[in-house]
Amino acid sequence: MKNLKLFFLTLIAGFGLSINAQTADEIIETYLENIGGKENLAKIESILMTGVVNAQGMEIPIKTVSTNDGKMYLEIDMQGNKIKQLISDGKKVYNMNMMNQKMEEMPSDLSKVMINEFKDFPNPFIAYKEKGYTAEFIGKDTTEDGTEVLKVKLTKKPITIDGEESANESIYYFDAENYVPIVIETEIPTGPAKGQKMKTPLSDYQEVDGMYFPFSTAMQGMPMNYKTIELNPKIEDKDFELPEAAATPDADKKN
């Protein structure tokens, strides 16, 4: 009798897990279909986005270019002076030291984490199982403004920074009506705010060549609004070259 009871408990638990997995898949499939379809998204090789970021009440023009092989750069316009703040050539990542106005190579472990994120182009949910990721439906919720959401946790492979391995998880808050994410919750992996939760808003979805992208979001807590998004623009490898010789972390330690 006990064995029979245990069998039914195990069966029920397994059935519950399969429902959760299926629900997560259904949410993701509906989402990808709603924004243009997996086949069309997979045809995107590069994206150019222009807009403004609001930094302490000052609107700063920005431009980002990203590709499906991990290349990326972020350029800001400071009163007509265009500065590339972040560059990835697909192998290493460099950022601008605003104190000395020089590009510096980021530590290799952090660079690797960032490049892996860049390669989740143009959407981390495309072929996520083939990449070894898992998705789990973790329930319904209601945001502060009263929007009903479906929460899906996307778990990627663990990351290692400064020799410490940590989980790589993001929680996507899908609008229960339109099935598009309106918030992404992540944990800050390094720096003074390490371990704190960060919520990135996504809104103002607009059509671009038959696909939909959020034109309003935030960058490091600063509101950011895109004005244009161009798919598969003409770009060249030199666009991702450093404007000058960059300092490396090892070189900095020697000086």
Side-chain angles (χ1 to χ4, degrees), residues 20 80 167:
N20 277 348

Side-chain angles (χ1 to χ4, degrees), residues 84-108:
K84 285 184 178 177
Q85 270 202 322
L86 189 71
I87 299 176
S88 166
D89 61 6
K91 298 178 181 178
K92 296 180 180 179
V93 180
Y94 304 83
N95 69 335
M96 172 65 72
N97 183 325
M98 299 304 288
M99 298 294 292
N100 60 20
Q101 294 294 300
K102 291 184 178 181
M103 297 298 293
E104 297 179 347
E105 182 183 339
M106 301 188 75
S108 59

Side-chain angles (χ1 to χ4, degrees), residues 2-20:
K2 289 182 178 179
N3 290 338
L4 184 61
K5 183 178 181 181
L6 180 61
F7 169 77
F8 279 113
L9 288 173
T10 305
L11 182 64
I12 292 170
F15 181 67
L17 288 174
S18 67
I19 288 178
N20 277 348

Side-chain angles (χ1 to χ4, degrees), residues 5 17 30 35 128 150 172 175 177 188 190 196 218 222:
K5 183 178 181 181
L17 288 174
T30 303
I35 63 172
Y128 74 91
L150 307 172
Y172 287 75
D175 183 301
E177 182 178 354
I188 299 173
T190 187
Q196 295 183 18
M222 297 180 292

Side-chain angles (χ1 to χ4, degrees), residues 14-30 128-129 135-138 150 152 179:
F15 181 67
L17 288 174
S18 67
I19 288 178
N20 277 348
Q22 184 181 12
T23 304
D25 282 343
E26 288 176 351
I27 294 171
I28 293 167
E29 288 294 322
T30 303
Y128 74 91
K129 292 180 181 179
E136 176 188 3
F137 173 63
I138 58 176
L150 307 172
V152 173
Y179 281 80

Side-chain angles (χ1 to χ4, degrees), residues 72-252:
M72 181 269 186
Y73 73 77
L74 166 65
E75 181 181 271
I76 64 173
D77 189 333
M78 298 294 290
Q79 299 178 333
N81 184 23
K82 295 181 179 180
I83 304 170
K84 285 184 178 177
Q85 270 202 322
L86 189 71
I87 299 176
S88 166
D89 61 6
K91 298 178 181 178
K92 296 180 180 179
V93 180
Y94 304 83
N95 69 335
M96 172 65 72
N97 183 325
M98 299 304 288
M99 298 294 292
N100 60 20
Q101 294 294 300
K102 291 184 178 181
M103 297 298 293
E104 297 179 347
E105 182 183 339
M106 301 188 75
S108 59
D109 51 2
L110 184 56
S111 184
K112 181 179 179 180
V113 170
M114 295 180 70
I115 289 173
N116 285 338
E117 289 295 316
F118 297 154
K119 287 183 177 179
D120 260 342
F121 175 99
N123 190 300
F125 285 109
I126 296 177
Y128 74 91
K129 292 180 181 179
E130 288 81 348
K131 292 182 285 190
Y133 303 167
T134 61
E136 176 188 3
F137 173 63
I138 58 176
K140 297 181 180 180
D141 203 347
T142 303
T143 62
E144 294 179 358
D145 65 359
T147 303
E148 186 177 339
V149 294
L150 307 172
K151 298 169 69 174
V152 173
K153 180 170 70 174
L154 181 66
T155 302
K156 302 180 182 181
K157 297 177 182 178
I159 60 175
T160 301
I161 298 178
D162 295 331
E164 182 179 342
E165 184 177 280
S166 59
N168 187 6
E169 300 173 345
S170 302
I171 298 177
Y172 287 75
Y173 293 60
F174 287 87
D175 183 301
E177 182 178 354
N178 299 310
Y179 281 80
V180 293
I182 57 175
V183 173
I184 304 175
E185 180 182 317
T186 55
E187 184 175 301
I188 299 173
T190 187
K194 179 181 178 181
Q196 295 183 18
K197 300 293 184 181
M198 179 176 65
K199 290 186 176 181
T200 301
L202 303 170
S203 62
D204 190 21
Y205 280 79
Q206 297 183 34
E207 184 179 357
V208 180
D209 296 343
M211 287 165 277
Y212 288 84
F213 298 86
F215 273 63
S216 181
T217 182
M219 181 174 64
Q220 297 179 348
M222 297 180 292
M224 183 165 57
N225 295 294
Y226 292 113
K227 295 182 177 180
T228 66
I229 294 180
E230 183 181 352
L231 306 182
N232 296 324
K234 183 179 179 180
I235 56 176
E236 300 179 13
D237 287 340
K238 66 179 183 180
D239 295 334
F240 305 94
E241 294 177 355
L242 300 180
E244 58 183 50
T248 65
D250 292 336
D252 289 340

